[in-house]
């Protein structure tokens, strides 16, 4: 369960209460509820980061839903190991695609909703009910018609031109690590390995950063680029905050020279 | 489980540990632990918001307890579907009253407490033990004598005079939605329906707000009044923060002209 | 489960996902994930505060791990009622010592790790797997060789010289209570009981504080010293924030005159 609801209110508990009312034996794991409000980009990244570690059969629910109450569709997705439930705005797609070929269905069948559906809280009134029924054995096909024009997430892929890689910041974590859109496996394919230096260009600023394999190879407070635990290239400060130091936020454009 | 303990400390975990030691099979759901410190008003609102969605038989525990260590009583309440455990300061009452006629008992029986009861932490030493035993089948009657002079919560009911409704702010949620003390069903009874405009007076300021049925009928950044997912009239900004815009906090007095 | 990961990211969920993948029936309780980044001192205090309340057989996991990726060892500890899993940096030791004589083993056996171990996230790749296997019946002895030179935590014991006690601040909780390193049982052994006044010296400042047995004996906003719910001497403000008032942070040195 991943939302942008924060932890001050009763909303997350209401989703869980509806889930447990209809599927008493499910075990619920919070991914986070502190996705920046309405940030489909961050929600999609965090869901895709955590999803693969869960047991087979897990139903992943993501409620980052700026379009609730409008005509945006509600969807359920069948992947290979997992199912996914949430709004049709791209937040589910990166995690679902990592789980192999996907089948997407629009949630239309009233059986998969509460009797009264509010215009502001589909997390409780639609997604919790759908999740409980899927966890209880219902098929994704039963929620409604198959669709193939689902909304894609707002990511751009990194582009390599000569020795320059144009990419973006996908997340700045609570430690201040800056996670870029460049995969470690792409760097390896391009012949770029730990031990080289990288020059990071942020607008007109240029910062040299050593590309290493662990924090502890740099002194406390030193900048370092590493392939992090999700196989993305990250820029970090050993025991410090790289996002603050470099003034980088999700969505910022970077050029890396290798 | 709802408290004002925050998430930085070990207090919430101690309550859960005592609960699980004495009732290993209970499933514990956090409502929130970020009730503003000592705010019985906000705690009572959030408990009443979430409680109805839980499965029958749930024991609800609320620890917002500025009077711990004084003579304030500890109580357990039997409602129709639920039981409630916490301090006798009003925090349990709105949720319990929504659950039909209530029977209130003072927790006096030492069996429902830890062997040593601290003066500062009845959440762990009294309420967790009582909850575990109630979840395990003990009756509310067993905790101690019946009382009928329980403390009521610090709410005032909205008053309608002509076309003006005097009410108050009961909560400002993490999205900045301002939840008023006016029920949607009262508005309907008064013949006031979505489609009208409302003028909100806050002290000497007067702000016109369209009364609609969903966020997406206003442009991004626009003010809107809606009946929210708990049947209270809320004042919101589409993808923005109405509490900050209008400088409204829980307890603030409002006059609505319809 | 206690970490300094915060609640914004997917890291805590990844640990839980790995745990549940390998031990589907465990019940996971969060102590806190908001230990100040890299603060072994605070992590050790909070773990020791909460651990004793848990059911026998609990496996406690603490991931406050500034040395991840360096040569710091990973350890598992067998106590009397509990087992403990985490980095060898002192964070586990106070909780483990409270649980009777301990046996410490280094985690070396690859069976107790994921197939691929990242250099930055042993919480997921080592500690979660070890915890799942211990919860499933594996012995602490199986994780690797016995060691006796484990790293001790960075605490100093309070020193009593005449009527002066030199101590330090071990934690400032979310209410602003300042928890000192002085145990209530030591105060009792020294013949110091509630009812006396204490003079607290912070650098050159001297503040008189009544030593009482409950908050409610002082007016709202008044300073008070009490033996708190974990048997440490605490300095508090009734319904206020003593840490802010006295400008005290974890690690600050205090002299108490009794």
């Amino acid at each position: 369960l991943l939302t942008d609801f924060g932890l001050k209110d009763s909303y997350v508990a209401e989703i869980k209460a509806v889930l447990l009312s209809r599927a008493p034996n499910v075990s619920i794991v919070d991914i986070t509820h502190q996705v920046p409000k309405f940030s489909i980009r961050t929600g999609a990244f965090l869901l895709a980061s955590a999803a693969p570690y869960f047991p087979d059969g897990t139903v992943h629910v993501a409620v980052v839903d700026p379009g609730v109450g409008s005509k945006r569709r509600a969807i359920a997705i069948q992947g290979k190991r997992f199912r996914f439930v949430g709004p049709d705005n791209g937040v589910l797609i990166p995690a679902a695609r990592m789980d192999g070929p996907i089948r997407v269905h629009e949630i239309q069948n009233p059986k998969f909703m509460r009797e009264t559906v509010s215009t502001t809280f589909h997390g409780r009134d639609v997604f919790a009910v759908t999740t409980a029924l899927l966890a209880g054995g219902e098929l994704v096909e039963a929620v409604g018609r198959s669709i193939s024009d689902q909304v894609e997430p707002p990511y751009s892929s990194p582009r390599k031109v000569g020795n320059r890689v144009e990419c973006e910041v996908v997340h700045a974590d609570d430690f201040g690590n800056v996670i870029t859109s460049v995969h470690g496996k792409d760097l390896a394919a391009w012949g770029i390995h730990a031990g080289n230096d990288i020059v990071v260009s942020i607008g007109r600023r240029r910062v040299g950063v050593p590309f290493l394999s662990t924090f502890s190879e740099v002194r406390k407070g030193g900048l370092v680029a590493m392939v992090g635990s999700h196989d993305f290239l990250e820029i970090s400060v050993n025991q410090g905050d790289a996002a603050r130091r470099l003034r980088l936020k999700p969505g910022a454009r970077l050029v890396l020279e290798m």
Side-chain angles (χ1 to χ4, degrees), chain A:
Chain A
L1 180 57
L2 171 145
T3 76
D4 64 350
F5 290 171
L7 294 167
K8 280 172 50 186
D9 299 309
S10 61
Y11 305 130
V12 171
E14 293 170 44
I15 291 178
K16 293 180 181 177
V18 169
L19 253 168
L20 291 171
S21 294
R22 295 171 192 240
N25 297 316
V26 298
S27 122
I28 304 171
V29 176
D30 299 301
I31 296 181
T32 178
H33 301 293
Q34 300 191 333
V35 173
K37 300 291 181 222
F38 313 121
S39 177
I40 294 163
R41 172 194 302 270
T42 304
F45 168 74
L46 292 172
L47 182 65
S49 297
Y53 298 100
F54 279 82
D56 287 5
T58 297
V59 184
H60 292 289
V61 192
V63 192
V64 179
D65 197 5
V68 66
S70 72
K71 289 194 197 308
R72 76 98 186 87
R73 298 172 297 190
I75 56 175
I77 303 178
Q78 176 71 55
K80 196 168 162 217
R81 297 171 55 208
F82 307 123
R83 287 156 295 172
F84 300 85
V85 174
D88 178 29
N89 60 21
V91 70
L92 303 173
I93 301 302
R97 289 214 193 285
M98 288 173 65
D99 189 31
I102 59 174
R103 297 197 308 276
V104 185
H105 286 258
E106 184 178 353
I107 304 172
Q108 301 171 302
N109 183 345
K111 174 179 169 184
F112 290 84
M113 307 174 190
R114 292 184 69 236
E115 301 67 41
T116 319
V117 175
S118 69
T119 57
T120 55
F121 195 3
H122 288 187
R124 179 190 68 198
D125 297 338
V126 179
F127 305 134
V129 178
T130 300
T131 301
L133 293 181
L134 293 181
E138 292 278 357
L139 297 179
V140 165
E141 282 71 17
V143 307
R145 71 189 176 99
S146 169
I147 63 172
S148 58
D149 60 342
Q150 67 276 358
V151 174
E152 295 292 324
Y155 287 127
S156 66
S157 294
R159 287 199 329 147
K160 184 160 190 300
V161 183
N163 69 335
R164 295 160 54 92
V165 176
E166 296 173 22
C167 63
E168 61 182 31
V169 175
V170 291
H171 184 54
D173 77 11
D174 205 39
F175 288 87
N177 300 312
V178 172
I179 293 124
T180 73
S181 53
V182 179
H183 273 93
K185 67 172 193 299
D186 292 333
L187 289 173
W190 299 333
I192 300 160
H193 297 286
N196 299 115
D197 274 14
I198 296 178
V199 175
V200 181
S201 298
I202 308 158
R204 295 180 177 197
R205 283 180 293 153
R206 288 168 56 87
V207 184
V209 181
F211 178 24
L212 300 171
S213 56
T214 168
F215 278 116
S216 55
E217 294 176 44
V218 291
R219 63 178 172 72
K220 191 167 165 175
L223 273 168
V224 56
M226 290 191 306
V227 175
S229 60
H230 303 107
D231 196 44
F232 284 100
L233 185 74
E234 303 183 8
I235 303 167
S236 302
V237 168
N238 189 11
Q239 298 187 37
D241 188 321
R244 184 177 295 180
R245 171 98 66 93
L246 300 175
R247 297 193 296 277
L248 284 173
K249 289 187 176 174
R253 312 287 317 170
L254 298 177
V255 176
L256 312 177
E257 286 170 64
M258 313 288 191

